Amino acid sequence: MDILFYVLLAAAANVAGGLLIMAKRSWSQHESHALMALSAGLLFAIALMAIVPEAVELHKSSPIFIILGFGLFFLIQQILSSHDHSVKSPRTRGMLFGMMLHTFLDGVSIVMGFQMDKAVGIVVLFAVLLHKIPDGLTLSSIIYTKSRSRKKAVYASFLLGLSTVAGALATMSATQFFAANPVILPFALSLTAGMFLYIVTIDLLPAVIALKNKRVSIYFFYGILLYIGLHEVLDLLPFQLH
């Protein structure tokens, strides 16, 4: 099935991003911290440049749900508060949950785009592919920094890919449900954006600031610039497709 092939392609991009963590045999502490800062920049840019605009375009009340997402994640973190910073810590679990929700919706978006029109589906696919590799890199690098385990880092990127496929399959089997409830997608996107912004501003950036290392801090801006560059590439793709 053509749509399923495109979904698998998007899922593979998540895994490819996660596999970037394997590019080096070992990562120094400085490099690990730089990855964390880079990931914070990417996650920040993905939330504000990709998820928030899409959610607001779909529903005018999305900003309220973005705030609710931020507040909900704050509440969850307080309830599950822990000093354990391993891969099993509440913060890492919450981050994984937020990113899996986002990639689940990627699968939903691809299927819905192709069901509307093939040309629309292709554009949506490229839009999704644009942030798939950064998503995989973001999650795997953060988990690697916390756990120092390449296996866990790559496994996390596979979970993102599986979540994308799950979102697509759920949409294929429940198209009428999603079509009859247009608020579901912007609501879920808004909650995801709120969670991502919480992770960046409350978890990742304070950790970067605490290092008091200007060389590491600059990678936050590199992450933003990287996404902006990729976003510019996306703007050229629809023109090239016609």
Side-chain angles (χ1 to χ4, degrees), residues 113-126 238 241-242:
F114 276 103
Q115 288 180 344
M116 290 173 60
D117 181 82
K118 187 171 183 180
V120 173
I122 292 293
V123 174
V124 171
L125 174 65
F126 275 105
L241 287 171
H242 290 297

Side-chain angles (χ1 to χ4, degrees), residues 11-88:
N14 270 144
V15 178
L19 289 174
L20 288 176
I21 204 71
M22 305 290 288
K24 294 190 64 173
R25 182 169 298 180
S26 61
W27 296 80
S28 67
Q29 187 176 54
H30 172 79
E31 290 169 332
S32 295
H33 290 156
L35 276 175
M36 179 73 78
L38 181 73
S39 299
L42 282 169
L43 205 59
F44 184 70
I46 289 170
L48 292 183
M49 294 185 66
I51 305 177
V52 171
E54 183 177 354
V56 172
E57 184 177 351
L58 290 172
H59 201 280
K60 63 180 181 180
S61 297
S62 292
I64 297 175
F65 296 128
I66 293 172
I67 295 173
L68 288 176
F70 190 99
L72 177 63
F73 202 63
F74 170 77
L75 181 62
I76 293 173
Q77 296 285 47
Q78 293 303 305
I79 294 174
L80 300 178
S81 179
S82 170
H83 296 294
D84 178 17
H85 294 286
S86 69
V87 72
K88 295 181 179 180

Side-chain angles (χ1 to χ4, degrees), residues 20 73 84 104 106 129 132 179 181 196 200 208 215:
L20 288 176
F73 202 63
D84 178 17
F104 181 91
D106 283 339
L129 285 174
K132 276 298 188 180
N181 293 270
F196 278 18
V200 172
V208 172
R215 291 177 58 196

Side-chain angles (χ1 to χ4, degrees), residues 41-239:
L42 282 169
L43 205 59
F44 184 70
I46 289 170
L48 292 183
M49 294 185 66
I51 305 177
V52 171
E54 183 177 354
V56 172
E57 184 177 351
L58 290 172
H59 201 280
K60 63 180 181 180
S61 297
S62 292
I64 297 175
F65 296 128
I66 293 172
I67 295 173
L68 288 176
F70 190 99
L72 177 63
F73 202 63
F74 170 77
L75 181 62
I76 293 173
Q77 296 285 47
Q78 293 303 305
I79 294 174
L80 300 178
S81 179
S82 170
H83 296 294
D84 178 17
H85 294 286
S86 69
V87 72
K88 295 181 179 180
S89 70
R91 287 184 176 182
T92 307
R93 287 199 302 266
M95 176 195 63
L96 178 60
F97 172 78
M99 296 200 75
M100 286 184 68
L101 175 59
H102 173 57
T103 52
F104 181 91
L105 292 171
D106 283 339
V108 172
S109 299
I110 293 172
V111 173
M112 292 181 72
F114 276 103
Q115 288 180 344
M116 290 173 60
D117 181 82
K118 187 171 183 180
V120 173
I122 292 293
V123 174
V124 171
L125 174 65
F126 275 105
V128 168
L129 285 174
L130 179 65
H131 63 255
K132 276 298 188 180
I133 291 179
D135 280 352
L137 174 61
T138 296
L139 183 62
S140 62
S141 61
I142 292 173
I143 288 184
Y144 175 74
T145 301
K146 289 180 178 290
S147 68
R148 307 301 296 180
S149 169
R150 292 170 182 268
K151 183 177 179 180
K152 290 177 180 178
V154 174
Y155 175 70
S157 68
F158 271 94
L159 288 180
L160 293 186
L162 289 174
S163 180
T164 302
V165 175
L169 293 177
T171 307
M172 287 186 214
S173 61
T175 302
Q176 293 182 346
F177 176 77
F178 280 99
N181 293 270
V183 177
I184 291 178
L185 184 57
F187 174 74
L189 285 171
S190 299
L191 290 181
T192 302
M195 284 191 263
F196 278 18
L197 290 173
Y198 181 92
I199 291 167
V200 172
T201 58
I202 305 300
D203 192 359
L204 300 183
L205 280 184
V208 172
I209 293 171
L211 295 172
K212 297 181 179 180
N213 187 324
K214 294 180 180 179
R215 291 177 58 196
V216 169
S217 298
I218 199 67
Y219 279 88
F220 171 73
F221 297 99
Y222 290 159
I224 295 174
L225 291 174
L226 174 60
Y227 190 82
I228 291 175
L230 291 172
H231 193 270
E232 291 301 316
V233 172
L234 174 65
D235 288 340
L236 298 175
L237 292 177
F239 173 79

